[in-house]
C-alpha cells in the first residue's frame, strides 16, 4: 500500500513538471507499448489454441499406436473412480508434463533396494529424515509407463495444455461425520505429535493444489488418492522433490488414507468454470 | 561534502562486514560441498552416499493437544475459535495489528501444535517467566505483544484487546492437560550445535537445494493466485519478520530450520547445514528493528539486537 | 413530605424482606435445634449422640504445590516472592489497591494452597474461562481485578500493574505441574445441597457456637494488638467483603464454610448448618456493591447482585 | 477515613452553633470524665499489684500442702526443657487460669471410649470432622492434676496475674537447616493437601499466641510442645474449643512434631520486656 501510493505521488509530480514536449513523447511511448501488447497477445493466444486443439485431438482419438486418453480419464478429463484413474481437467500444465516425463523415464536397472520402512507406524512411528537417498524421479504404472514412452515432447505439451484448460466442477459426496472430522483434522493439522504436517500446508488451503509443484487433492477420486499413497509407501512412485511426499506418505495409516481421501471427496471444488 | 559522506558510508560498511560472526571469505573454501553433498548435484539420478540421522518419535513422546472438533459450543468455545482464526489467519482476523505477510502459525507450525515448532501447549504453562531479552519477568500477553512487534513487524495489541484475549484463550485451550511450569518434550526449538564456522556460501547452496522450492529464489515466499496472502511465507524482504525478532538470531533460526524444515522432513538437515542456511538468510534484507533508529539500521544493517 | 418518604422506606423494606430466599419467620420453628444438635447446648460435658460425616483424604488425592523453600533465587523467584507477599499481606504490599481488612489469603486459605479453599493451583489452569457473572470469557488477570473490586472492596489493579504481574506469577509458580484446563480434585469450593429451608435464627446459634470464638461476637474479626491488621478476618462490617463479592451469595458462602471452617475441622458442619450460618451472615451489614448506586443499596440492602 | 472526617465536620459545626453556656457545660462534663478516669486507674493498678504479689508468694514458696511452682517452672517462669515443663512467663492470665481449672476438673467416670484415630496417617490420613463428640475439658498430668485441686479460685487468679506479668526473652537455639525449613513450612502453611491448617493461623503470625484463646508456641521448650501434641493425640489432653487442636494434632507425624517444635525454638521472641 505504502509503496504504491508513493509511486502514484511521484508520478503525479513528474507529470506536473514535464513540458508539453516530453508529455507528447511519453504518450507516443505509451501508444507503442499498447500496440506491442495488442499485437503479441493474439499470436500467443492462437499458438496456445493450436496446442490445445492438437492435445484434444490426441486425447479423444489417439494416434497410431497411442490410444486415446478418454476411455480411462473420461470425456471431460474428470477421471474414473472405478479404475482409480485421476482427474486431469484443470491440473497445472507443468505438473501434467512432468508426470508424463516421469512415467516415460526408465528406472535405473541397478536401483538400490533400501530396507523398507516399517508400515505399522502406530507401533513404531518414525520419520525417516534421510534426504540424501535420492528419488530416481520415476513413477510406476503398468499402463502409463509403456504408453508415456510413445509420446513426444510436443505431445506431452499439447496434452498438458488441453487438460489444464478443461473445466471441472466436483460433485461433493456424502460420508459419515466421523470420517470427515478425522479427515479434516489430518488435512488441516496433520499429526503434529508424530511430525506429520497437514496436507493443506502444501496442497493449498482447500486442497486445490499450488502452482505446478503441488497437485490438487480436492476433486480427485478417492480411489486414486488412496492408490497413490500406497504407491508412495511401496516405492512405486518416487518422483517428488526432496522426498517430501514419500516421507509423509510413510506415516499414513490405512485409516488415514480413507479419512483424508473422503474429506477431499466431500469438498466442493471447481476449476476453469465461472 | 557529498563525497565525504559516501566515503563514510563505505568505511562503515566495510567495518560492518568486518564484524560479522563469520569470516565468510576465508572459510568458505575449506570444504568443497559439491564433493561431499551429492544432493547439491543437479542430477537427481544418483545413489545414496551418505545416510543422515533418523529422527524417531515414540508414541506418547509428545503432548497431544485436543482436537479442533472438540472445541465446546459455548462462549468459551467462540473465544477459542476466534483465537484460532487470528492465529492461523492473522492478516485477516487481526489486520489492525499485523504488519507483514506472516501469520502466527507461520512460526508456530500446524496451528501451534507441532513439537519442536514452538508449540503453544509447551509455552502456556511456562509464562510468566524471566526473559533475557527484556530482562524482566514477562507474562504470556507481553510475549504475544513482542511477537506482534517483531515477528509480525506490526503493532502490539493492548493487554485488554479482544484479539489478545482470544489468543490467550486459544493457547489455554490447546494446552488442556499440559502441566504448568514443566518443560515438556518438544517445547520451543531443538538444540543445534556448531562444529565449524558458518559459511553463507554453503548456506546459499543449501537454500537453493532445500528451501527455494517453496520459499522462492528471492526468499519472498509464494503468494496465492487469488490474493489471499501467502501460501509459503517470505523468509526475507519487506513482508517477513523484522530485525528485532527471535528468528533474526542465527542460532535460533538454525534451530527452527533444523526442527521443522522442510515440511514433513524435520531433522533432515545437519546442524551445519541449518546454521549455514540460517546465516545466509540472516544476511538478507528485512524490515528494521522498530526499537532501532533508521540511521543505526542503515550503518549496521546486521547488528545484533 | 418527610412522612411520605419514611412510609416509602417502610414499604420497600417490607418488600425487601418479602423477597428473601427464605421465609425465615414461618420455617424457623419447624425444628427445635436444641434437641437435635447437642453442640448447641452450653454444657460441654456430654456424650456423643450423633456422629456427623467423616471427610477422609487419601494421599495424593489433592495436588501438592511446590514448597516456598524451592522458590528459585532469580528474578523469576523475586516476582514469585513479591506475589506471595501481596497474596498473604495484601494490606501491606498492595496497599494502594486494598480496600478492607482482608488479604487474598483470607479466602484462598493457606497461601492459596488449601483444597476446597479456592486453591490457586486449581484456578490457574482454568482461566481464561467463561464466567456467568460477567457473561464473558475472563482471563486470570480480569478475575483478580474482580477480587480487588468486590472481595477486597478496593480498586482494581490495571492489567499491566506490577502487583498484577506478581500475583499471576505467584499463581503460576504455585501451579507447577498442575494440568491446564482440567478440573482438579479440591478445586474451588465443595458442593452443598439444601434439604430444608434456611433459617437465620438457627444460623445465629451455629455462628455463636462455631464462629464467634475467632471472628468475634460482632463478626468484625479480631485485630492484632500491635495494629498489624487482622488475626482473624471480619466476616461482616465495613472491613469485610462488599455486597458484590462471591461470598455474598448464600450458597457460595455456605460452600466456603462447609469446606474450610472452622480451621482444621473442614466438613464438620452439616450442609444445613453451613447454609443457615451463611444466610445469617448474608443478612448483616457490609459495604455496598460498588456497581450499585447508594440509593439502590439503601432500599434493597440484601438484593441479589 | 470518610466517616471520621464527617464526624469532625459535624463536631466543628456544632461547636460553632453552641452558645457560651452550653460550651461551659461541655467543659464541666469533660473535666468530670477526666477525674473519673484518674481516680479509677490507680485503684485498679494497686489491686492488680496485690494479686501479683500474692501470686509471687505462692509461686516461690508454696503454702501448706501446696508446693512451690519454681522448682519445675523455673525462677523466672521460663519452664524446664529437661522435664518438659512449660514456660509460664508472659502467658495470658485467662489462659493460665483455664488450664489450672482444667487440671483440677475430674474426668467423667463414665467416659465413652471412642475408637482411637489411626496414628499411621501417612497410610490412612483422615480428618475426623466429628465435632459432636464433646471434649470433657480435662487435661491429664500426673503432677498437676492433684496439685491443681488444692488451689482456690483466688490462688489461680493470683498465679495467673503473677506469671502473665513476668518478662521473658527467648534464647534461639540452632538446628539443622532442613529441620527448620520443614518446621517453617508446617508453621506457616500447614499441610493443605491433608486439610491441616498452619500453626500460625491460630497461634499468631510469629507463634506468639493470640489473646487468651491461643497460647504462644514461640518460647516454649521443644520437649513441652512435643509432649503436649502427644497428649492431644492420645486423648490425655482434651480441653480445646470445638476439638480444634485435637483434630490438628491427630494429623501430625512424629517428624512434624520435632520439626515444628524446633522451628519455634529457633525463633527469637520476647514478652513483657522492652
Amino acid at each position: 500500500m505504502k509503496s504504491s501510493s508513493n509511486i502514484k505521488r511521484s508520478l503525479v509530480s513528474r507529470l506536473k513538471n514535464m513540458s508539453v514536449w516530453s508529455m507528447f513523447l511519453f504518450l507516443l511511448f505509451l501508444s507503442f507499448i499498447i500496440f506491442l501488447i495488442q499485437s503479441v497477445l493474439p499470436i500467443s493466444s492462437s499458438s496456445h489454441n493450436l496446442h490445445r486443439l492438437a492435445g484434444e485431438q490426441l486425447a479423444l482419438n489417439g494416434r497410431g499406436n497411442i490410444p486415446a486418453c478418454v476411455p480411462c480419464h473420461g470425456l471431460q478429463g474428470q477421471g474414473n473412480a472405478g479404475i482409480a484413474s485421476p482427474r486431469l481437467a484443470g491440473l497445472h500444465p507443468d505438473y501434467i508434463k512432468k508426470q508424463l516425463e516421469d512415467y516415460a523415464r526408465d528406472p535405473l536397472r541397478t536401483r538400490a533396494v533400501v530396507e523398507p520402512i516399517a508400515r505399522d507406524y502406530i507401533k513404531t512411528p518414525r520419520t525417516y529424515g534421510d534426504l540424501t537417498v535420492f528419488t530416481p524421479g520415476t513413477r510406476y504404472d503398468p499402463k502409463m509407463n509403456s504408453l508415456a514412452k510413445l509420446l513426444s515432447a510436443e505431445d506431452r505439451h499439447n496434452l498438458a495444455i488441453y487438460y489444464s484448460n478443461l473445466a471441472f466442477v466436483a460433485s461433493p459426496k456424502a460420508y459419515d461425520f466421523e470420517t470427515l472430522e478425522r479427515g479434516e483434522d489430518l488435512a488441516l493439522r496433520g499429526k503434529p505429535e508424530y511430525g506429520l504436517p497437514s496436507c493443506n500446508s502444501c496442497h493449498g488451503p482447500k486442497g486445490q493444489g499450488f502452482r505446478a509443484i503441488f497437485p490438487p487433492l480436492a476433486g480427485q477420486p478417492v480411489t486414486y488418492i488412496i492408490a497413490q499413497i500406497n504407491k508412495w509407501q511401496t516405492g512405486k512412485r518416487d518422483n517428488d522433490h526432496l522426498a517430501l511426499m514419500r516421507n509423509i506418505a510413510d506415516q499414513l495409516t490405512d485409516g488415514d488414507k480413507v479419512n483424508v481421501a473422503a474429506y477431499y471427496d466431500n469438498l466442493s471444488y471447481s476449476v476453469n468454470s465461472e | 561534502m557529498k563525497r565525504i559522506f559516501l566515503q563514510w558510508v563505505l568505511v562503515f560498511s566495510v567495518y560492518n562486514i568486518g564484524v560479522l560472526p563469520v569470516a565468510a571469505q576465508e572459510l568458505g573454501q575449506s570444504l568443497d560441498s559439491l564433493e561431499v553433498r551429492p544432493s547439491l548435484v543437479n542430477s537427481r539420478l544418483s545413489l545414496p552416499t551418505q545416510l543422515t540421522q533418523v529422527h524417531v518419535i515414540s508414541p506418547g513422546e509428545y503432548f497431544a493437544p485436543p482436537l479442533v472438533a472438540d472445541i465446546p459450543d459455548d462462549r468459551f468455545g467462540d473465544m477459542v475459535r476466534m483465537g484460532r482464526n487470528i492465529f492461523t489467519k492473522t492478516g485477516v482476523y487481526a489486520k489492525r495489528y499485523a504488519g507483514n505477510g506472516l501469520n502466527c502459525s507461520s512460526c508456530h507450525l500446524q496451528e501451534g501444535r507441532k513439537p519442536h515448532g514452538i508449540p503453544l501447549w509447551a509455552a502456556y504453562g511456562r509464562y510468566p517467566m524471566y526473559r533475557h531479552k527484556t530482562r524482566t519477568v514477562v507474562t504470556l500477553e507481553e510475549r504475544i505483544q513482542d511477537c506482534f512487534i517483531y515477528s509480525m513487524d506490526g503493532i502490539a495489541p493492548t493487554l485488554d484487546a479482544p484479539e489478545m484475549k482470544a489468543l490467550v484463550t486459544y493457547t489455554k485451550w490447546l494446552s488442556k492437560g499440559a502441566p504448568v511450569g514443566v518443560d515438556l518434550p518438544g517445547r520451543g526449538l531443538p538444540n543445534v550445535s556448531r562444529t565449524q564456522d558458518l559459511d553463507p556460501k554453503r548456506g546459499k547452496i543449501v537454500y537453493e537445494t532445500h528451501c527455494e522450492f517453496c520459499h522462492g529464489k528471492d526468499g519472498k515466499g509464494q503468494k496465492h493466485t487469488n490474493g489471499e496472502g501467502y501460501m509459503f511465507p517470505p523468509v526475507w524482504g519487506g513482508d517477513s519478520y523484522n530485525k528485532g525478532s527471535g528468528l533474526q538470531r542465527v542460532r535460533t533460526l538454525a534451530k527452527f530450520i533444523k526442527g521443522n524444515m522442510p515440511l514433513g522432513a524435520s531433522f533432515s538437515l545437519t546442524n551445519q547445514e541449518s546454521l549455514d542456511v540460517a546465516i545466509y538468510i540472516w544476511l538478507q534484507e528485512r524490515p528494521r528493528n522498530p526499537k532501532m533508529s533508521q540511521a543505526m539500521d542503515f550503518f549496521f544493517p546486521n547488528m545484533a539486537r
Side-chain angles (χ1 to χ4, degrees), chain A, chain B:
Chain A
M1 295 298 280
K2 218 176 189 176
S3 64
S4 78
S5 72
N6 276 348
I7 291 165
K8 212 186 282 171
R9 216 177 300 138
S10 67
L11 258 177
V12 167
S13 65
R14 270 185 211 177
L15 283 173
K16 275 179 187 166
N17 294 342
M18 269 198 284
S19 63
V20 180
W21 180 237
S22 57
M23 195 74 117
F24 174 74
L25 267 179
F26 178 74
L27 285 176
L28 204 70
F29 178 71
L30 213 67
S31 59
F32 176 67
I33 296 282
I34 289 166
F35 164 75
L36 266 182
I37 290 168
Q38 277 179 339
S39 55
V40 165
L41 262 183
I43 293 170
S44 128
S45 167
S46 72
S47 131
H48 187 264
N49 268 337
L50 284 176
H51 285 297
R52 198 170 61 76
L53 289 171
E56 186 173 10
Q57 196 57 244
L58 190 56
L60 294 177
N61 309 321
R63 189 187 67 224
N65 288 352
I66 310 171
C69 310
V70 289
C72 291
H73 290 285
L75 262 173
Q76 307 299 321
Q78 77 275 26
N80 186 338
I83 55 167
S85 139
R87 153 176 81 90
L88 300 178
L91 263 61
H92 197 284
D94 292 349
Y95 179 75
I96 297 176
K97 249 194 286 186
K98 180 178 184 302
Q99 299 309 312
L100 287 173
E101 283 163 14
D102 290 347
Y103 275 129
R105 182 175 293 129
D106 258 326
L108 282 185
R109 297 200 171 211
T110 58
R111 187 168 163 196
V113 175
V114 178
E115 184 80 19
I117 289 156
R119 291 286 159 259
D120 192 0
Y121 104 107
I122 287 297
K123 280 187 195 141
T124 55
R126 51 187 67 191
T127 311
Y128 273 75
D130 176 17
L131 295 192
T132 57
V133 178
F134 293 112
T135 57
T138 59
R139 185 172 174 179
Y140 173 77
D141 187 86
K143 281 182 200 151
M144 289 302 291
N145 282 32
S146 55
L147 208 149
K149 280 183 189 130
L150 304 174
L151 298 173
S152 66
E154 178 74 13
D155 289 340
R156 291 196 289 263
H157 183 66
N158 292 345
L159 284 171
I161 297 289
Y162 168 63
Y163 274 113
S164 66
N165 279 289
L166 280 184
F168 177 74
V169 178
S171 45
K173 282 169 208 71
Y175 291 90
D176 69 297
F177 184 70
E178 209 174 335
T179 301
L180 293 175
E181 209 176 66
R182 289 180 186 174
E184 191 202 29
D185 203 54
L186 208 58
L188 265 64
R189 283 169 289 278
K191 289 184 183 173
E193 63 271 30
Y194 290 114
L196 181 71
S198 68
C199 310
N200 286 359
S201 62
C202 288
H203 290 280
K206 285 161 189 160
Q208 81 276 30
F210 187 70
R211 305 211 172 156
I213 53 184
F214 296 110
L217 300 177
Q220 287 290 15
V222 169
T223 46
Y224 172 69
I225 293 183
I226 296 175
Q228 291 308 305
I229 299 174
N230 286 335
K231 282 192 183 175
W232 284 113
Q233 291 187 335
T234 51
K236 286 184 179 166
R237 186 171 175 183
D238 216 3
N239 62 339
D240 54 346
H241 181 74
L242 291 171
L244 286 176
M245 189 61 212
R246 212 188 68 186
N247 277 325
I248 288 158
D250 279 346
Q251 292 188 36
L252 295 172
T253 63
D254 287 350
D256 292 341
K257 297 171 207 169
V258 174
N259 292 337
V260 80
Y263 169 72
Y264 284 114
D265 205 29
N266 182 260
L267 283 185
S268 41
Y269 169 78
S270 71
V271 65
N272 290 336
S273 67
E274 304 313 300
Chain B
M1 191 62 203
K2 197 176 180 181
R3 221 179 44 169
I4 291 171
F5 173 74
L6 282 174
Q7 270 185 347
W8 267 104
V9 169
L10 195 68
V11 167
F12 267 99
S13 305
V14 168
Y15 174 72
N16 192 13
I17 288 165
V19 296
L20 286 181
V22 279
Q25 283 66 26
E26 296 88 43
L27 291 160
Q29 309 307 329
S30 66
L31 180 83
D32 183 355
S33 38
L34 295 187
E35 267 181 20
V36 182
R37 297 278 310 148
S39 69
L40 310 181
V41 192
N42 273 333
S43 160
R44 300 181 64 222
L45 285 164
S46 62
L47 285 175
T49 55
Q50 185 195 0
L51 292 170
T52 57
Q53 68 175 69
V54 170
H55 185 68
V56 177
I57 299 172
S58 314
E61 181 173 352
Y62 298 123
F63 175 78
L67 297 173
V68 166
D70 292 342
I71 298 179
D73 276 326
D74 53 14
R75 308 250 332 231
F76 175 76
D78 291 346
M79 210 65 172
V80 173
R81 271 182 286 267
M82 178 179 165
R84 180 171 165 266
N85 284 340
I86 295 170
F87 198 82
T88 53
K89 289 166 194 160
T90 317
V92 179
Y93 292 94
K95 200 175 179 180
R96 55 176 175 164
Y97 301 117
N100 58 19
L102 303 184
N103 299 317
C104 303
S105 54
S106 300
C107 296
H108 305 274
L109 293 165
Q110 295 184 261
E111 305 190 357
R113 290 162 180 266
K114 188 180 176 301
H116 299 298
I118 335 176
L120 295 190
W121 44 261
Y124 185 74
R126 277 169 59 79
Y127 289 92
M129 66 178 282
Y130 177 75
R131 260 191 106 204
H132 285 289
K133 181 168 176 174
T134 56
R135 292 177 197 278
T136 52
V137 174
V138 297
T139 59
L140 181 61
E141 281 91 341
E142 288 170 329
R143 185 66 192 80
I144 292 173
Q145 286 187 328
D146 275 11
C147 275
F148 274 94
I149 295 172
Y150 301 113
S151 299
M152 316 275 304
D153 193 34
I155 299 160
T158 54
L159 294 176
D160 56 353
E163 285 89 350
M164 179 64 87
K165 195 188 274 189
L167 283 171
V168 172
T169 308
Y170 174 64
T171 310
K172 181 252 177 170
W173 171 80
L174 205 66
S175 314
K176 185 174 178 172
V180 172
V182 171
D183 280 2
L184 292 172
R187 79 165 180 84
L189 297 168
N191 275 333
V192 160
S193 59
R194 196 172 75 151
T195 48
Q196 40 176 309
D197 282 323
L198 315 188
D199 181 1
K201 280 187 192 171
R202 276 180 317 204
K204 188 173 192 301
I205 300 173
V206 175
Y207 183 83
E208 284 165 358
T209 324
H210 291 90
C211 320
E212 196 184 295
F213 189 63
C214 291
H215 294 289
K217 206 173 191 73
D218 57 358
K220 305 223 167 124
Q222 294 195 60
K223 278 191 171 177
H224 284 300
T225 43
N226 59 1
E228 278 177 5
Y230 284 90
M231 175 73 208
F232 298 108
V235 290
W236 66 78
D239 249 6
S240 190
Y241 55 89
N242 71 35
K243 286 177 188 166
S245 75
L247 287 188
Q248 182 66 356
R249 296 171 69 190
V250 174
R251 183 187 282 270
T252 308
L253 181 58
K255 286 174 172 184
F256 181 82
I257 291 166
K258 170 92 181 173
N260 301 290
M261 289 291 133
L263 281 187
S266 319
F267 294 95
S268 63
L269 295 172
T270 63
N271 287 349
Q272 194 59 41
E273 284 171 326
S274 307
L275 284 160
D276 286 342
V277 75
I279 200 164
Y280 172 68
I281 295 171
W282 181 75
L283 286 167
Q284 310 300 326
E285 279 285 306
R286 62 181 68 255
R288 76 180 163 90
N289 181 349
K291 298 274 164 82
M292 195 181 269
S293 72
Q294 295 268 15
M296 280 292 280
D297 186 62
F298 180 79
F299 290 118
F300 305 98
N302 284 320
M303 201 173 82
R305 293 159 307 150

